[in-house]
Amino acid sequence: MFTVTTTQHRGKQQREQQDALFDGTRTVQSLNHPVSCNAHHTKGLLIAVADGVSVSPHPDLASRYWMDMLAQTQHSHSFDARLLRQIHSQMCKKMARGETYGSSTTLVAASIKNNLCTILNVGDSRAYHINTQGDWQQLSHDHTVLNEFIASGQAQSDEDYADIYSGLAHCLVADEGAFDFAIARAEKSLAVGECILLCSDGVHDVLSAEVLQQSFKEYPPRECVTHWRKQILRMGAPDNFSIVLAQLESLA
C-alpha cells in the first residue's frame, strides 16, 4: 500500500502550466492544484513528473503527452529505457510537425513493484529517496551542460561556473533527429515508511537540498508537501512546480 501526496502550481511569473504529473491514477496539469493525498491499495505504483521546456514551442503539450502515454502503458510494458524510446518515437509521429515541432520536456518517473523502486529520468527533474530517519539520496541524474563537462573532465564538481552551464544537455524533443537523448536509471529497495519524492526544477531551484531535508525532519511526510508549497509560494514561485511524494505504507 502506498500513500501519494501531490501538488502543482504554475508559478507567479508564468501564464500557463508547463509541468504535468502522474499520481498513479491520473494526469494532473493545473494552474493551481492544491495538496492532495490518495491511498493506493496495490503492490505496484507508477508516478512521474514532466517539466515542459519553456523555450520550446508547446512545452505544456509535450509534458502532458508523456504523462498520458506513461499512464496508458503502466500495466502492459516493462519499465525501462526501451519504453521511453518507444514513447519518444510515438511523440515524434504525433508532434514532430507544424507548430508542435520541437516541443520539449524533461521527465522523471518511478516504478515501484513490491518494495523495489526503479527510477528513469531525462533532463533535470529529480527523484529523491528518503528513509525513515529523514536521510536523503538523490536517485536521478541532472542532464545539464555542466554535468556533461564534469563527466568529460572539462570542469570540476567543486568549482563555481556561470549559470549558462546549468542549461539542459538532454531532454525529450518532438524531433525525429533528437533520438540520442541520455536516460539515467537507478534502483532502490524501499522499507516500510520510506518515501520517493519526484519534483520539477521549480522546486529544487527554489528550495535547497538542506531546506528540503530539514523540513522532512520536522514534519510528517504528507505535511511536508504542504510546507514546501507554502515556502515556494512565499519565495515568489518564479517557475512552474510539481511535487509527487509516495510513501510505502505496507508490503501487504
Side-chain angles (χ1 to χ4, degrees), residues 2-247:
F2 301 90
T3 299
V4 178
T5 308
T6 61
T7 193
Q8 189 179 71
H9 195 277
R10 69 175 179 180
K12 292 186 177 179
Q13 298 178 20
Q14 306 296 326
R15 292 179 298 175
E16 62 182 10
Q17 178 55 269
Q18 298 172 356
D19 284 6
L21 66 84
F22 181 66
D23 66 2
T25 302
R26 62 179 180 134
T27 296
V28 177
Q29 189 172 53
S30 171
L31 297 181
N32 183 28
H33 172 58
V35 175
S36 174
C37 187
N38 295 290
H40 294 258
H41 299 275
T42 176
K43 293 183 178 180
L45 180 71
L46 176 66
I47 53 175
V49 166
D51 179 4
V53 179
S54 61
V55 296
S56 71
H58 287 279
D60 56 324
L61 299 183
S63 61
R64 177 85 193 206
Y65 182 84
W66 275 86
M67 296 299 92
D68 288 344
M69 291 301 295
L70 284 174
Q72 292 176 25
T73 60
Q74 63 175 322
H75 300 301
S76 58
H77 289 72
S78 58
F79 185 74
D80 54 21
R82 182 172 57 181
L83 172 62
L84 298 195
R85 298 201 183 279
Q86 288 174 347
I87 295 176
H88 178 257
S89 178
Q90 293 170 314
M91 176 195 193
C92 290
K93 290 177 181 178
K94 181 178 179 63
M95 300 180 66
R97 63 175 64 86
E99 65 177 17
T100 57
Y101 177 80
S103 299
S104 309
T105 186
T106 68
L107 171 73
V108 61
S111 175
I112 309 172
K113 296 182 179 180
N114 295 314
N115 69 325
L116 180 62
C117 177
T118 302
I119 301 291
L120 298 175
N121 85 278
V122 181
D124 62 357
S125 292
R126 290 184 180 175
Y128 296 94
H129 168 258
I130 309 136
N131 68 18
T132 55
Q133 288 75 46
D135 300 319
W136 286 53
Q137 178 187 6
Q138 183 175 334
L139 300 178
S140 57
H141 174 76
D142 291 351
H143 291 117
T144 62
V145 174
L146 177 57
N147 280 345
E148 293 278 295
F149 285 167
I150 291 172
S152 65
Q154 299 178 69
Q156 303 300 316
S157 60
D158 57 353
E159 293 186 11
D160 293 329
Y161 295 90
D163 288 343
I164 190 173
Y165 295 110
S166 64
L168 291 172
H170 297 276
C171 60
L172 300 161
V173 186
D175 179 352
E176 293 178 348
F179 60 85
D180 59 345
F181 53 89
I183 301 172
R185 183 181 186 277
E187 285 188 348
K188 190 73 177 182
S189 294
L190 301 182
V192 172
E194 294 186 338
C195 297
I196 294 294
L197 169 67
L198 306 184
C199 63
S200 57
D201 66 355
V203 177
H204 63 76
D205 280 353
V206 176
L207 301 180
S208 68
E210 291 76 18
V211 169
L212 288 167
Q213 293 180 42
Q214 185 58 39
S215 300
F216 218 86
K217 293 179 183 295
E218 296 177 359
Y219 299 93
R222 280 167 278 186
E223 292 183 21
C224 273
V225 176
T226 298
H227 182 66
W228 294 331
R229 176 187 170 91
K230 289 179 178 178
Q231 282 188 301
I232 296 169
L233 292 173
R234 191 179 303 122
M235 296 174 70
D239 195 4
N240 307 267
F241 68 85
S242 295
I243 297 172
V244 181
L245 181 70
Q247 183 175 31

